[in-house]
Amino acid sequence: MPNLTNFLGQFSFLGLLVLSNVFMTFAWYAHLKNLSSKPWWIAVFASWAISLLKYIFQVPANRIGFQYLSSGQLKIVQEVITLSVFVPFAIFYMGEPFKVDYIWAGLCLLGAVYFMFRG
């Protein structure tokens, strides 16, 4: 099997993580809006189906990223992407208002990025 990095490129893990997070966010939260009148087990199966797509992108992303980053660095990149995907999802899809707390959370994550990537 060809090396994933040669096939996709060194920074492709970022794009794959973004795609993975889009699916993850829909799997975790979209049922609150779309399936709220359905029994919980229907939401579980719908979320599991969406989660399969999430893992199709996440596993190769983590394998590529781990060639260049430590597991801690890879995780903090994942958290930054998660917040970057969740905020627009919450505002535009779920119809929630923008909160200044999103900015504060982002700044806290920037601090975490600093500590994970410093010398």
Side-chain angles (χ1 to χ4, degrees):
M1 181 166 176
N3 184 327
L4 286 172
T5 304
N6 292 338
F7 180 70
L8 297 172
Q10 180 175 346
F11 293 104
S12 61
F13 77 96
L14 295 171
L16 292 170
L17 283 178
V18 169
L19 286 172
S20 169
N21 267 276
V22 168
F23 286 112
M24 177 191 72
T25 302
F26 273 90
W28 284 9
Y29 300 106
H31 65 88
L32 299 172
K33 179 178 180 179
N34 299 358
L35 300 175
S36 61
S37 63
K38 305 288 184 195
W40 67 267
W41 58 270
I42 291 176
V44 167
F45 286 112
S47 293
W48 280 352
I50 296 169
S51 292
L52 175 62
L53 295 171
K54 169 202 179 230
Y55 285 109
I56 288 172
F57 295 108
Q58 183 183 16
V59 170
N62 285 337
R63 287 185 175 217
I64 294 167
F66 191 62
Q67 294 177 35
Y68 304 98
L69 303 174
S70 70
S71 58
Q73 291 170 330
L74 192 56
K75 179 60 180 170
I76 208 64
V77 167
Q78 172 70 34
E79 295 304 327
V80 170
I81 291 171
T82 297
L83 186 62
S84 300
V85 168
F86 178 77
V87 171
F89 173 86
I91 294 168
F92 297 113
Y93 188 79
M94 297 298 286
E96 296 180 5
F98 177 81
K99 298 176 185 176
V100 175
D101 291 341
Y102 294 143
I103 294 172
W104 296 122
L107 290 172
C108 288
L109 278 176
L110 286 178
V113 168
Y114 168 76
F115 285 112
M116 291 305 294
F117 282 88
R118 69 181 172 156

